[in-house]
Amino acid sequence: MSPSPAPTPSSLPTKIGYSIGNFGKSVVWTSFDNFMLFYLVTIAGLPPMIAGGLLAAAMLWDGLFDLGIALWADAHGGGDRLGRLIVMGAPICAIGFWLVFTLDRPMAIAAAILLCRIGYSLCDVGHNTLLVRVARTPADATSVSGYRLIFSACGAGLVALASTWSLAPANAAARQDAFATGALVGGALYTATLATALVATRHLGGRPTPPLRQSPKGRLRALWQHDPFRRTLLVIAVQAGLVPLFLRTLPFFGQAVHHDAGWAGPALATITLGQSLSLPGWMALSRRLPPVAIARIGYGVAIVAMVGLMIGSRSIGGTLLLLLLGAALAAMNIAIWAMLTLAVQRPAGGEVSTEATPVGFFLAVLKGAAAAGNLISATIVTMTVTPVADTADQSLLAGTVLLLPVGGCLLALLFLRRRSVG
């Protein structure tokens, strides 16, 4: 039996066109991850634990829905199945995203959040699974991850600029109007950029797959038993749950330390700038080092940055530390997506790998961990942000949202130390 020919790399236009989809996705994800808790508490008027529980429930549903859609997609096959998910999901997510910031009643806001997350899940499974088709070679796994993150950084930067404008008005009604206008633009970008990614990858088609004999439970068990994939799941659980606590509470941190919630906008912009400036360097370094080594460096740099921010986040020193944190986040993200791609492309025991199920499993763990992170953030805010909060409470918030991510980085390094996952 002759060996199968080595896969040829995807063209640069295909890689760039596919990666553009991360621009719109980043706008929605960053808005939820960094500003939604603040919006629900200070503008929509929900108690912190109710707001955090709502976001956690939506994220947990999102993850389970991802997994269910992925299992369904692999069971039914079809080259255009992923594209259909994007076509269905993009307008649902965009409409729900806009409604979140235009509705006033808590139950209506909760329904809009659920609608947005359903649409986001459909697109997330479709778009992220396409990564396996676009990144055909090990070198592509890192380069495409890098291109995705460049566009993700652009989306996060846009949210940072918009948040500075949205948080500028003094009264809640004006702030809500500003957020709603930004959400309308963000939803349009989400739909347009994912449509671009779909067009750019339409020629790739789907890989031929034999009939699936394993049950969904059997497929998930086999993935968990695959050592590189299992360790990738452990790392992303920590990376999505504990490491972003500082970013999730940026407006509250700004209020507590800088007496200005609007500080979050320039801070996020600075972190995003650090990501953007460092990505070419990480991509170049990835030609010499495996993804797991890039991840280790990223977690180490993040520990240094967050310990420094505990000491002080003001003046030029604080700005440099935020840039350093952005560079660390870039390394973590470029590594974890490359690790996922390589683990999916190298199934255990020479078995034929399905496309969507491992990506759906990965997304379910990522979003389940993010749900836990939202609850932790809400608990911290409930304990430290009150009408009678004193200096000690504010110091506790500032220290906690930096100390817990340091612990998360150390835990991730422990998982990465056991054995290479790349």
Side-chain angles (χ1 to χ4, degrees), residues 70-324:
L71 290 167
W72 170 83
D74 274 337
H76 289 79
D80 61 347
R81 190 73 59 180
L82 302 178
R84 293 178 189 176
L85 295 178
I86 295 173
V87 170
M88 288 188 297
I92 294 173
C93 178
I95 292 170
F97 186 57
W98 174 68
L99 288 176
V100 169
F101 298 98
T102 57
L103 300 174
D104 295 316
R105 296 183 179 180
M107 290 304 295
I109 294 174
I113 289 176
L114 181 60
L115 181 69
C116 179
R117 299 313 305 189
I118 289 174
Y120 193 95
S121 289
L122 290 169
C123 293
D124 219 19
V125 172
H127 185 258
N128 285 321
T129 303
L130 285 172
L131 173 63
V132 180
R133 297 184 188 176
V134 176
R136 296 175 174 178
T137 67
D140 279 350
T142 303
S143 65
V144 178
S145 295
Y147 293 134
R148 281 165 50 105
L149 291 172
I150 289 172
F151 285 104
S152 292
C154 291
L158 182 63
V159 172
L161 293 174
S163 66
T164 302
W165 167 65
S166 300
L167 294 171
N171 63 81
R175 283 186 173 182
Q176 183 179 19
D177 290 341
F179 271 104
T181 301
L184 182 63
V185 175
L189 286 171
Y190 181 85
T191 304
T193 55
L194 279 170
T196 302
L198 184 59
V199 171
T201 56
R202 187 178 293 276
H203 66 282
L204 295 177
R207 65 167 68 172
T209 55
L212 296 176
R213 292 187 174 91
Q214 280 185 313
S215 66
K217 184 177 180 180
R219 277 183 273 160
L220 296 178
R221 184 186 298 114
L223 283 169
W224 179 254
Q225 292 172 348
H226 184 32
D227 190 65
F229 187 80
R230 181 174 65 251
R231 287 188 170 83
T232 302
L233 293 183
L234 293 173
V235 172
I236 194 56
V238 174
Q239 185 167 315
L242 290 178
V243 175
L245 283 180
F246 174 60
L247 277 75
R248 289 192 180 109
T249 55
L250 273 179
F252 295 106
F253 185 91
Q255 276 188 336
V257 176
H258 299 273
H259 310 292
D260 178 19
W263 174 88
L268 180 59
T270 304
I271 293 170
T272 302
L273 180 62
Q275 289 181 291
S276 302
L277 293 176
S278 64
L279 273 171
W282 294 124
M283 292 172 70
L285 189 61
S286 68
R287 298 190 186 100
R288 298 177 177 272
L289 296 177
V292 67
I294 302 293
R296 287 173 182 158
I297 297 171
Y299 287 116
V301 172
I303 291 172
V304 172
M306 285 186 280
V307 169
L309 287 168
M310 289 183 204
I311 300 172
S313 59
R314 300 177 185 274
S315 69
I316 187 64
T319 300
L320 292 175
L321 288 169
L322 291 173
L323 288 170
L324 190 65

